[in-house]
Each structure stands twice: as C-alpha cells, then as structure tokens.
Amino acid sequence: MGVTTQYLRYVPGQVFGLVGTGRCVRLVTRFSQLGKFLAVPACERVLIWDLRRETKVLTLDGEVRGTVTMVEPRPAAPGSLDNTHLAVGYSEGTVVVFDLMSGEPLKFTGHKGGVSSLCWDPQGMRVASGSEDGELVVWDVVSERGMVRLRGHKGKVTRVRFMQTRNVLVSSCRDTFIKLWDLTTHHCFRTLAGHRAEVWDFVLLKGDSRLVSGSSDAELRVWALNFKEVKKTEDTEKEAEKDSSEPPSKMFRIDTEGEAKTVIDDEEIKDDASIVEVVQMGSVLRSRGDRVCGLQSDGRVVACHGKGPVIDLFAVLTDEEVATKAAKRGRKERKRAREAGDTTTTTTSNTPLLADEIQKLPTLRAANKLLGVDVLTERSGMVRLAALHNDNSVALLSSDLNAKEVKKEKKKKKEEEETEVGQVSVLGRPGHRTEIRAVAFTSLSDQVVTGSAEALKVWNRGDTQATLTVPCGPVTTLVVVPGDRHALVGTRSGHLQLIDFASATLLEDILAHEPDETATDTGVWSVALTHDGRGFVSGGSDKMVKFWKFELVPDETGRGKRLSFLQDTRALKVADQVTCLRCSSGGRFLAVATLDLKETVYFIDSLKLCHELYGKSLPATCMDFSTDSTMLVTGSKDSSLRIYGTDFGDQRKLFKNAHQGGVTDIRFIPKTHMFFSCGHDSTVKQWDADNFQRIITLEGHTGIVRCLSVCPRGAWVLSGGQDRSLRLWERTQEPLVLEEEREEELKRKEEEEGTTATQRRVLPGEEGAQAVRPTVTTHHTEKAADMILEALGVYREQVESGGKAEPHYLMTYVYKTSDPLRLVLEVLRRVKSRT
C-alpha cells in the first residue's frame, strides 16, 4: 500500500473590509446609551458598530452556512434600556439568537427557505420568523424549542409582527394578503385583502389600533383595527343554541318581501364571528411611486423608503394632538360655512380624520440608494435615522419632529423639497464602496493592498485596520513595487498610476494603452513585475505588450529623488487584446493570453516565440508560473483549468468545471507545485499540479470572487470580490488527508439534502392543518432519537425482570447509575434542543 499524501489545512481567518450588507439595519441599546450602537448584517456575520467612535465593538458569528438576511433586537426588559439578545435570520433557514454580552449563539432550525422576517413578542420570550416558503414559525427562546408552524400564505412572507396588547401575530406576504393569527388557537381569524399587489411591509401603531401597509405604489394604506370584547353569558349561549339551525346571515339576506338581495359590494359582507373589525381609513401619499422596500416605526415616527435614496417621514400624533387638530379644522369649516351662508353644518366636522392622525414631515435624501432604515425619536423631538446604503456604508441622519412641511405654494421642484442636510455621520472608511478588483501582499506579508473602482487601500494584516486610502482610477490590476513603499495600478481608462504609501499621493499617471476607435472595452488588463524587480510588463486593449523600467527622478522640491517609471524601447504587437500576462521567476519566459482563444509563451530576452497553447472555447482570464518555471496554469471563462509544461508546451491536465461560471484568478504557492484558484461560484480552491487533484474548497464569499493573492511564505491567502469582503485563509499545522476530506464533503452534502425533507406532523394525516410541529430531521435529531430508544429498551428490560437482571453497561460505565429511571432521565437531559 502506497504512502498517503498529506497536506496542511487552510482554515478561514479574519474577515474585514465590510461595513454592512443585506437589507436590514437595527439600532441597539447597550450600556443604556441610545442611538450609539448599530447592528448590521455583513455576509454570514453580524457586526455591532459604535457610531460615535466609528469602531467595531462586537462580531457575531453563528457558524451557519448562509448569509444574514434579518436582524432584530430583543425588547428591553422593564426598568432597563438595554437590548440583551439579538435574533438573526439566515438565507438557509436557520434562526440564531445571540447574547449581546457574551456572543453565545442559540440555534433554531425549521425553515426550508431563507428567513425573510423576524420579530420578538413584547415580553421577549418568543421569536416569530417568516420565510420565503410562505411559512411562519414561533420559537420559544426560554425552553429552546419550536412552538408552532403556521401555514396559509402562498409566497414569500415579507413581514411578521407581534401585537403589543394581544396574543396575536400579524403577517404580510407577496400573495397580497395580510393575515392575523390567534396564537392561542393557532389559526388565522382574519385576512385583509385590500391590496392588489404584493404587500412588502407594514407597521402597527397606537396600541395596535392602526395598521399601515406599503405595496408597489405611492400609497401607504391605513387600516383601523377595532377588537370586540367577547363576553359569554347564559342568555347569549341559549340564543346561540336556539339559532344554531338557522343559516348564517353572511351567506345571504332576505328582505321584507321575501326576495333574496344580491350582495355586490364586499364591504357589505361582515364576518360576525370575527373578534376584530377592520376599516380601511384611507391612504397616505409618499414622495415616490416605486415599491416600498421598508417601513420602520418607534411608535412616534414612521420611516418609509423605496429603492432610491429618499426617506419619507410621517409623525404619528397623540390623541390629544389629534383632538386639537380636529377641533381646529372643525372651527375653520364652520367659519367657511357661515361666510357662505350655509347653516346645515353640524358638529360632525370635529370627528378625527386620517390627516389629523398622521402628519408628513420633510423628506430626507441619503447619499446613496438604501437597503435598510431604522428610526429612533428622542424626548427633545429629534429624530435619528440609521441608513444602510448599497455601497457598503452606513449613515446616521437626523430630522426634527417639530419641523413643518413646506407649503405647496413655495415648492419649486420635487428634488428641492428633499432635505439633504441632516447627515450626522457616515461610517464607510473600513471598506470599499465598490467590488474589489485586485489584491496583493507586501514582501513581509504584514500589509495587504486592495483596489476597487474608487480607491486604493492599505490594510494592516494583524488588526485588519485600513491605514491608508488613496483615491485613484478604476483599478483592474495592481502590483506592489519592490521596497513595499509604492503600488503600481492599472486602470480601466488605460492609465498606469504610481502611488506612494508614505505621502498618500499619486506620483505618476500615464496613459499607457490607448485603444483604437473600434474597441468597445478599454483598460490596462494586466501588469506583471519582471524577475529582477527593476521593471514591469503591461498589456491592455490596444493589442500591445509594453516593457517599462523603474528609475529615480528629482522630486518637485528639487531636494531629493522619487520613484518613477519609463517605457523601454522594446514592445510586442499581438493579434488581439491582452487579457493576462505573466513573467517567470527565472527570467526566461513571458506568457501572454489574448482574446483570440490562445496563450503564447515567448522568450523574454529575445521576444521569440516559444510555445502556442490552444484548445479553449472561451478566452483565458488568468495564468501563473510555478516558482521553478516548469509549469504554467491557465484559467478561462469556460470554467476549466489547464496545466501546461513549459519545456514542451504540452497539456498535462485539464480540470473541467473547476469553477462554475468561469475562473477569475490563479496563484501558485511559492516554491511548490500547489496553487489556488477562484471563480464565479464564490469559492476558493486549492489544487495539486503534480498529482492533478483538488485538495480543499474554501467557502465563505457571496458572489463572484474576483482576485486572490498568496503571501511569499504561503502562510496566508487573501481573496476579495463582489461582496466587498476581504478574507484571509490561514495555513495551520493540521494535516489534511484527501480521502477523509472527501468523506466529510459527502456527509455535509447528505445533511444539506436531508434538511429539505418533509417536516413531521403533530398527528397522522394532518396535511391540511394550519399549525404543525416546526422541526426538521437532522443527524442531531436522529442521534438523539437513537439514544432515547436505547435507554427505553434498557428501562423496559430492567423493569420486566423485576430488578433481577444484571445492570446494563450503559448504567454501569457510561451514566454510572443503578436506577433505570435515572438512566432515562440522564439521556433526556443530555439531548440538546435543535428544533
């Protein structure tokens, strides 16, 4: 038997560069400080930011394979202001409750689809979650179990909220319905069908007596909820028994002449058995006609936002303010009536209207499109709004509750109505505004350099803090110049830019590759340092490969010298646009990939042709030489990896479907024949070019992984991409055996497929019920069931023998008890709740 090849395992390390992702943001109160801390989803984690210091104070990781979709803080206990726990929903259906002091997670698994909404009950004992499969689940946080699963919606649940005064859960869905669920009987007792499009969000106001819902238009519909007090007496019970044989009045009506009256209007049909009376009061107009993306309220102010940067604010007036406003309006109407000579005006004009209860405040405009908003009203009347932008930044906005809306006569344009002032602070320095296109390590691996469409950043690898930010052109490629004091950047506009780290300035900006007029895409697509570090090679959309060398030139002050670069006399004309190029570490080869589906290997000293590599259906996007220059690995848009030998130019191995969607970057580990690749499938994979095997797959990114870099010693791998996150993968001393790794991958795949199995019902045949048990079968539940069955078997054996049977080995050696009942109790105690 041959010796099994072992490798050292790479594990996920630090994740940085993120401020906030997802479509949810919540203000969290810690240490009795209101409006200071903010909980923001960041891919698979939740970050707690200190808005005043602009620092990250806590990172919550539930170790769940999915991205965070919703966060919801637990209501403060009586006599306190602090939120002690945070409920988090994930895209793969898991709900995790975190302790904000210790960060300990409590997991609940029961959804087949992603969690789309979360809410706590007023006492903070239960959490309700809605998912994309249209199901609602109520979880008991104290006993750590699922209580009930509610079915009735046909589509994605967009919002769930507990009522503050009753044991009722309200939910909205994309099926255009809003449902009210009685959690005592576990059934839906009322459905609101006033919307003709998807209901995206709603809020409950004024002690659950008002419901404001948003749809796909410019109107916010307001509903009045009037609950009836049901009091049963002996007389009413007798009347109910007496009239039980009569047909219900809501089915048809008989007039005085005995003819059936056809009911045309739905409003005439009243549900006499319902405990709530619902009246649609009217609509409130927003400033935009796009669909509602979020509605948030603290009871005093309602904040509404759509797909754009505009935030509409509405003040909810108190009963005293409503009565005062209605009386004032009534006096004005009676005065107009007297002036017009109308004496029929009655006192009904003092009846409060919808306009008397909800008052529009000046509209706010954020710096960018919004993903989520949360609102907090202070006692002084100041309104604080936390806004999560789609460019990986968070802003804290402010408004005044006493501010009055500008009158229509003074309005000029809708853009001028919106109040752009009011932005208190912006949290965006710890990350890039756009997706990351290039990353690189310095020679000592203590710093990393990243580039995106708006800036170049330098990060300290130890504490993952951004030490430098320099605005530059849209970065397509970058290299760190030997000496670790400068970075060379290639941009989409065809420029080469030299950036100095010490002064954070742009030293050189030269148009290096200017395309012809027929080119549709421009840019410097690849830059590679030469083997001696004294120059570099660049290729772009002008079908030219140019050689450059570094030199020292006098600086602007004339007292010293600074680094610059100058074009060499040599140049190489190729057949098509250059997509990638690399120089071998031995200084012998230059490999150039072009859009005409081939890679060409030249001798770098004479620029003579060495090899031409064919066989792709789509052009190559990346390539790299091994340290000994004996291998060349290429990755292309056809999702394949190819390993070539540089001696004869032969293809040694083809990996089909290495990355679904295409390969974006490849890097060899220095002084080895192992390399890393990344692609459109959100993964980073390690390969062995000698044994032609995949070693490990590193998952964590969401979206396309655009670039990666391996440090000179191979101890760390850095990757970045579409989700704007930078991830370090650290090499450990743990050995990795390929056979064991494949077995673990197979087990994880089987477990993922097992979680989609049909949930168990409470009773056999309960297929059409609205309420079923919220559990799914996992390997944890199967193991617990086997333990319980084994303990019950031992208990039965001991009881039937009358105590004459020998003690089972589980009783003697494992649980160390002679009582069979104690054995069953110990087994039940050790079973963890994983509903």
Side-chain angles (χ1 to χ4, degrees):
M1 182 177 180
V3 179
T4 303
T5 304
Q6 290 186 348
Y7 305 92
L8 294 181
R9 183 183 297 274
Y10 282 83
V11 297
Q14 301 186 71
V15 180
F16 56 101
L18 285 175
V19 176
T21 59
R23 293 188 174 275
C24 183
V25 61
R26 292 292 181 268
L27 289 165
V28 177
T29 304
R30 303 180 72 205
F31 312 113
S32 301
Q33 295 181 350
L34 296 172
K36 182 181 179 182
F37 298 99
L38 191 67
V40 188
C43 291
E44 76 278 9
R45 305 183 181 186
V46 179
L47 305 180
I48 308 296
W49 291 96
D50 188 338
L51 295 178
R52 297 177 185 174
R53 298 181 180 179
E54 296 186 2
T55 57
K56 182 170 53 179
V57 297
L58 187 61
T59 300
L60 304 176
D61 189 359
E63 297 181 356
V64 177
R65 299 181 65 182
T67 59
V68 177
T69 56
M70 293 295 298
V71 294
E72 193 68 34
R74 180 183 181 183
S80 175
L81 296 176
D82 294 345
N83 302 117
T84 57
H85 292 78
L86 186 73
V88 179
Y90 291 83
S91 60
E92 51 89 41
T94 302
V95 177
V96 181
V97 178
F98 289 97
D99 189 338
L100 289 179
M101 298 303 295
S102 62
E104 290 295 326
L106 174 62
K107 296 183 181 180
F108 298 98
T109 304
H111 285 293
K112 292 186 289 185
V115 178
S116 57
S117 182
L118 286 173
C119 69
W120 290 81
D121 69 343
Q123 292 77 27
M125 301 298 178
R126 296 174 297 175
V127 175
S129 59
S131 67
E132 295 179 355
D133 55 8
E135 297 180 347
L136 308 174
V137 177
V138 181
W139 311 94
D140 190 340
V141 179
V142 178
S143 60
E144 301 180 7
R145 66 182 181 89
M147 298 178 63
V148 65
R149 183 190 303 274
L150 303 174
R151 292 175 175 173
H153 284 295
K154 298 180 180 180
K156 176 182 177 181
V157 178
T158 56
R159 178 65 66 184
V160 291
R161 295 189 190 274
F162 279 98
M163 283 192 172
Q164 300 294 319
T165 56
R166 290 172 175 81
N167 192 23
V168 174
L169 184 68
V170 187
S171 63
S172 63
C173 182
R174 292 187 62 178
D175 59 2
T176 72
F177 297 135
I178 300 176
K179 290 181 176 292
L180 281 71
W181 306 83
D182 189 344
L183 296 182
T184 304
T185 60
H186 301 163
H187 82 285
C188 174
F189 64 89
R190 193 60 186 263
T191 300
L192 307 185
H195 288 276
R196 298 193 177 185
E198 297 91 343
V199 183
W200 294 105
D201 208 343
F202 70 90
V203 291
L204 294 170
L205 304 173
K206 305 186 72 172
D208 303 329
S209 63
R210 297 291 184 270
L211 187 147
V212 182
S213 58
S215 184
S216 300
D217 50 19
E219 296 183 3
L220 296 179
R221 291 167 177 81
V222 183
W223 312 76
L225 307 180
N226 300 319
F227 282 85
K228 303 176 183 178
E229 297 295 335
V230 180
K231 297 182 180 180
K232 290 187 177 181
T233 61
E234 296 181 358
D235 297 335
T236 56
E237 291 179 358
K238 291 180 180 179
E239 291 179 1
E241 293 177 359
K242 181 180 179 181
D243 299 336
S244 60
S245 60
E246 298 180 1
S249 60
K250 63 181 179 180
M251 299 299 294
F252 60 88
R253 299 177 183 178
I254 304 297
D255 60 5
T256 55
E257 297 181 0
E259 296 179 356
K261 179 181 178 182
T262 305
V263 180
I264 300 177
D265 194 356
D266 293 340
E267 295 181 356
E268 296 184 7
I269 301 178
K270 295 183 179 180
D271 189 0
D272 296 334
S274 178
I275 62 174
V276 61
E277 180 184 358
V278 182
V279 178
Q280 186 170 353
M281 300 180 62
S283 300
V284 178
L285 290 179
R286 300 163 50 220
S287 59
R288 291 293 185 271
D290 56 344
R291 77 170 179 89
V292 173
C293 293
L295 274 172
Q296 285 297 323
S297 175
D298 61 347
R300 194 71 178 92
V301 173
V302 178
C304 175
H305 72 93
K307 294 183 178 180
V310 179
I311 305 175
D312 293 306
L313 298 179
F314 302 92
V316 181
L317 304 183
T318 61
D319 294 339
E320 293 79 6
E321 293 173 339
V322 171
T324 303
K325 195 171 182 180
K328 184 178 179 180
R329 177 177 50 80
R331 288 194 297 268
K332 290 183 178 179
E333 290 181 359
R334 287 192 293 270
K335 183 178 179 181
R336 294 194 199 99
R338 287 195 301 268
E339 293 176 354
D342 186 5
T343 59
T344 60
T345 304
T346 63
T347 58
T348 57
S349 57
N350 293 338
T351 303
L353 302 177
L354 179 60
D356 300 329
E357 297 185 5
I358 298 178
Q359 179 183 358
K360 195 172 189 310
L361 297 177
T363 305
L364 294 179
R365 173 180 282 271
N368 212 323
K369 292 183 178 180
L370 296 168
L371 296 178
V373 167
D374 199 11
V375 61
L376 174 65
T377 305
E378 300 177 354
R379 292 183 179 179
S380 60
M382 291 298 297
V383 182
R384 302 288 183 183
L385 290 101
L388 175 61
H389 301 149
N390 66 346
D391 62 349
N392 193 30
S393 66
V394 173
L396 185 61
L397 309 177
S398 67
S399 181
D400 190 359
L401 187 61
N402 300 320
K404 296 182 179 180
E405 192 179 10
V406 183
K407 294 183 179 180
K408 294 183 179 180
E409 293 79 5
K410 297 183 180 181
K411 291 181 180 180
K412 297 180 180 179
K413 295 181 180 180
K414 290 185 178 180
E415 292 78 6
E416 296 179 0
E417 298 174 24
E418 297 153 1
T419 308
E420 297 188 6
V421 295
Q423 183 168 286
V424 178
S425 62
V426 177
L427 180 62
R429 183 177 56 86
H432 285 279
R433 305 282 74 75
T434 56
E435 63 181 54
I436 299 168
R437 287 286 183 170
V439 296
F441 277 98
T442 58
S443 60
L444 298 178
S445 304
D446 58 342
Q447 292 181 326
V448 295
V449 185
T450 62
S452 63
E454 87 289 342
L456 180 137
K457 287 181 177 289
V458 180
W459 308 78
N460 191 342
R461 182 188 54 80
D463 56 6
T464 63
Q465 297 296 321
T467 59
L468 178 67
T469 301
V470 182
C472 62
V475 177
T476 56
T477 179
L478 72 85
V479 293
V480 178
V481 179
D484 297 341
R485 297 182 179 180
H486 303 82
L488 182 67
V489 173
T491 66
R492 187 174 291 275
S493 60
H495 288 247
L496 286 173
Q497 297 178 346
L498 185 64
I499 297 174
D500 184 13
F501 294 160
S503 60
T505 57
L506 190 65
L507 298 181
E508 296 288 348
D509 189 357
I510 298 175
L511 180 60
H513 294 271
E514 185 177 4
D516 53 15
E517 298 179 354
T518 60
T520 57
D521 205 358
T522 64
V524 179
W525 301 127
S526 184
V527 172
L529 291 174
T530 57
H531 68 286
D532 55 3
R534 297 182 179 180
F536 63 93
V537 186
S538 65
S541 54
D542 60 351
K543 305 178 183 179
M544 293 292 296
V545 176
K546 297 183 180 180
F547 293 80
W548 309 78
K549 59 182 179 180
F550 295 110
E551 62 177 4
L552 294 176
V553 297
D555 59 6
E556 287 74 8
T557 60
R559 299 179 181 179
K561 293 185 178 181
R562 63 173 180 84
L563 187 67
S564 181
F565 56 89
L566 182 67
Q567 185 176 353
D568 201 350
T569 55
R570 296 191 303 166
L572 181 64
K573 181 70 174 179
V574 294
D576 210 335
Q577 293 189 30
V578 177
T579 59
C580 183
L581 54 84
R582 286 290 183 271
C583 297
S584 64
S585 58
R588 186 181 180 187
F589 300 113
L590 169 66
V592 181
T594 54
L595 279 178
D596 57 355
L597 309 183
K598 69 178 181 179
E599 298 86 38
T600 309
V601 181
Y602 300 92
F603 293 104
I604 196 170
D605 52 355
S606 61
L607 298 183
K608 291 184 178 180
L609 178 63
C610 180
H611 303 295
E612 283 189 345
L613 311 177
Y614 299 93
K616 298 177 178 60
S617 59
L618 291 173
T621 56
C622 52
M623 62 174 63
D624 197 19
F625 280 101
S626 61
T627 306
D628 55 7
S629 304
T630 59
M631 290 185 179
L632 175 67
V633 180
T634 65
S636 60
K637 290 185 178 180
D638 60 1
S639 308
S640 62
L641 291 171
R642 290 174 170 83
I643 303 176
Y644 296 96
T646 57
D647 47 1
F648 299 106
D650 56 323
Q651 179 177 302
R652 298 182 179 179
K653 184 63 178 178
L654 167 63
F655 294 102
K656 293 184 178 180
N657 298 322
H659 290 278
Q660 294 293 331
V663 185
T664 54
D665 205 354
I666 293 176
R667 286 292 185 272
F668 265 98
I669 301 176
K671 300 180 181 179
T672 67
H673 282 178
M674 294 182 291
F675 63 93
F676 284 90
S677 66
C678 61
H680 287 243
D681 57 356
S682 309
T683 61
V684 177
K685 296 182 180 181
Q686 184 185 5
W687 309 81
D688 190 342
D690 289 331
N691 298 330
F692 308 132
Q693 290 182 335
R694 177 177 59 87
I695 301 174
I696 192 173
T697 300
L698 303 175
E699 299 179 349
H701 281 280
T702 58
I704 303 172
V705 185
R706 294 289 185 184
C707 50
L708 61 86
S709 178
V710 181
C711 73
R713 295 184 179 180
W716 293 282
V717 178
L718 178 68
S719 59
Q722 199 173 33
D723 58 359
R724 302 183 181 93
S725 68
L726 294 166
R727 298 176 184 266
L728 277 172
W729 312 92
E730 183 178 358
R731 185 177 63 193
T732 63
Q733 297 302 316
E734 178 187 356
L736 184 148
V737 182
L738 292 182
E739 291 77 6
E740 296 178 357
E741 186 67 22
R742 298 298 174 265
E743 291 179 1
E744 291 295 330
E745 292 178 359
L746 183 60
K747 288 181 180 179
R748 288 196 296 266
K749 184 177 179 181
E750 291 177 352
E751 182 176 345
E752 290 177 0
E753 294 176 353
T755 56
T756 60
T758 305
Q759 283 79 6
R760 301 176 184 174
R761 269 64 180 176
V762 176
L763 296 173
E766 198 178 4
E767 295 289 340
Q770 289 182 329
V772 297
R773 182 175 298 168
T775 57
V776 294
T777 302
T778 64
H779 71 279
H780 296 286
T781 57
E782 292 177 354
K783 183 178 178 180
D786 294 338
M787 291 172 56
I788 296 173
L789 288 175
E790 187 176 12
L792 292 176
V794 173
Y795 175 79
R796 180 180 299 175
E797 179 182 352
Q798 294 291 325
V799 171
E800 291 178 352
S801 65
K804 298 180 180 180
E806 295 183 0
H808 197 270
Y809 75 94
L810 287 177
M811 301 170 58
T812 306
Y813 299 103
V814 180
Y815 295 97
K816 297 180 180 180
T817 179
S818 59
D819 188 0
L821 182 59
R822 176 64 61 181
L823 170 66
V824 177
L825 293 177
E826 285 294 325
V827 170
L828 293 175
R829 186 180 62 85
R830 296 189 183 188
V831 173
K832 294 184 179 180
S833 175
R834 292 180 179 270
T835 56

